[in-house]
Amino acid sequence: EAGVTQFPSHSVIEKGQTVTLRCDPISGHDNLYWYRRVMGKEIKFLLHFVKESKQDESGMPNNRFLAERTGGTYSTLKVQPAELEDSGVYFCASGASGYSYNEQFFGPGTRLTVL
Amino acid sequence: GNSVTQMEGPVTLSEEAFLTINCTYTATGYPSLFWYVQYPGEGLQLLLKATKADDKGSNKGFEATYRKETTSFHLEKGSVQVSDSAVYFCALSYTTGTASKLTFGTGTRLQVTL
């Protein structure tokens, strides 16, 4: 079974440009999460989808970030316009549904560098 | 709010040395606690977890015990190997009801040398 995949693995853009990150979760996983690690600091939660709906978007830093999850499958995270402080590693994770704890499976991350 | 504090790295050890990575947390109620590991070039992997006080999580020779009285979840391994070189993240989550977000510490880089 394929794991969580993310594309691209690395992106370098100029300040003010737009970048779109993509995450393909494990097939059948209703829960999809985005996290970000900036400059070696802690990994911070951005938002959580359940199927196509945003369950919790309390971690989104500002309105330059837009996340979507088309048809409850893959998800995109768009940053427009990008700022220097957006540089970091963006992780996606997916998990199955259920009352008890379901492990979050992480992708390898997308390293975003804004110059 | 909830938070996780880990010891600063990097930690450099010789092979077969004893490892401790400290982790303490601040949270309301009864969170579940986790250790994730990130090997070079890979995504985070769940290493072990504990869902209630006094539980001990263990995997691949690593252990951590959920200590509510000290709000700690320290990671230990009796004899590290070069292949254990990675970044280790302590995290917490509330695991009742709808699946919820993880709150992570800053990560501790472990380098094991021959």
Side-chain angles (χ1 to χ4, degrees):
Chain A
E1 179 181 313
V4 177
T5 58
Q6 293 186 245
F7 182 83
S9 58
H10 195 174
S11 179
V12 181
I13 61 172
E14 298 279 337
K15 176 183 172 181
Q17 290 185 321
T18 297
V19 64
T20 300
L21 313 181
R22 174 171 170 143
C23 169
D24 286 80
I26 293 172
S27 178
H29 280 187
D30 288 339
N31 294 289
L32 188 149
Y33 306 81
W34 283 99
Y35 295 87
R36 176 174 73 169
R37 189 182 191 208
V38 174
M39 288 291 291
K41 296 185 178 178
E42 69 269 28
I43 299 170
K44 286 195 171 181
F45 167 80
L46 296 178
L47 88 160
H48 170 206
F49 284 100
V50 177
K51 297 184 180 179
E52 67 276 9
S53 299
K54 293 176 183 175
Q55 178 75 21
D56 180 356
E57 52 184 328
S58 61
M60 294 289 265
N62 52 60
N63 60 11
R64 295 185 294 103
F65 289 76
L66 175 64
E68 295 179 324
R69 188 177 183 192
T70 306
T73 56
Y74 71 91
S75 174
T76 57
L77 180 64
K78 180 191 290 187
V79 185
Q80 180 182 26
E83 299 289 345
L84 299 179
E85 63 265 25
D86 301 332
S87 296
V89 181
Y90 290 76
F91 293 101
C92 175
S94 72
S97 295
Y99 182 81
S100 61
Y101 175 71
N102 287 291
E103 180 179 348
Q104 293 185 28
F105 294 86
F106 282 77
T110 293
R111 181 174 295 277
L112 174 64
T113 302
V114 183
L115 302 175
Chain B
N2 302 327
S3 66
V4 175
T5 303
Q6 288 181 236
M7 62 187 291
E8 294 283 334
V11 174
T12 302
L13 295 173
S14 298
E15 199 170 44
E16 299 184 0
F18 184 86
L19 168 72
T20 300
I21 300 178
N22 290 336
C23 171
T24 58
Y25 67 91
T26 301
T28 56
Y30 302 93
S32 294
L33 302 174
F34 308 88
W35 277 100
Y36 277 80
V37 58
Q38 185 181 23
Y39 298 104
E42 299 183 14
L44 280 78
Q45 302 172 24
L46 178 63
L47 180 60
L48 53 84
K49 70 178 188 285
T51 57
K52 61 182 187 295
D54 299 325
D55 268 3
K56 177 185 284 188
S58 61
N59 186 25
K60 299 182 180 180
F62 291 89
E63 294 183 339
T65 301
Y66 189 164
R67 302 288 188 198
K68 190 162 180 64
E69 64 276 13
T70 54
T71 62
S72 66
F73 193 55
H74 304 320
L75 182 68
E76 297 182 336
K77 186 174 185 181
S79 176
V80 294
Q81 305 300 311
V82 173
S83 57
D84 294 326
S85 298
V87 182
Y88 293 81
F89 294 91
C90 186
L92 68 81
S93 179
Y94 291 93
T95 57
T96 56
T98 304
S100 68
K101 63 188 178 187
L102 288 158
T103 299
F104 287 92
T106 54
T108 302
R109 180 175 298 278
L110 170 65
Q111 181 70 46
V112 181
T113 59
L114 290 172

